[in-house]
Amino acid sequence: MGAAFLAGLSTGFWEGTAELRAMRERDDHFRPAMIEAEREEKLANWHAAVSRVMIHE
């Protein structure tokens, strides 16, 4: 959402940050709940998947 807000500001779609603040319905923050071991396993699997599709010269 941040990238979209910045793009809209830079193109003049929104007049200013006050307009963006008014559009925010919630002020929630992301709080990760995954345990570290599970996160590490998923990240390792993601790295393995990426390496399988990379072109190696």
Side-chain angles (χ1 to χ4, degrees), residues 10-52:
S10 68
T11 61
F13 186 79
W14 290 294
E15 292 184 17
T17 56
E19 187 177 0
L20 298 178
R21 271 190 230 101
M23 290 189 328
R24 290 181 59 178
E25 295 179 19
R26 299 167 58 164
D27 196 19
D28 291 344
H29 296 279
F30 173 74
R31 305 237 191 283
M34 188 180 298
I35 60 173
E36 187 173 349
E38 183 180 0
R39 182 185 65 79
E40 289 295 328
E41 180 183 1
K42 289 181 181 292
L43 183 59
N45 289 338
W46 180 80
H47 281 288
V50 169
S51 70
R52 287 192 299 269

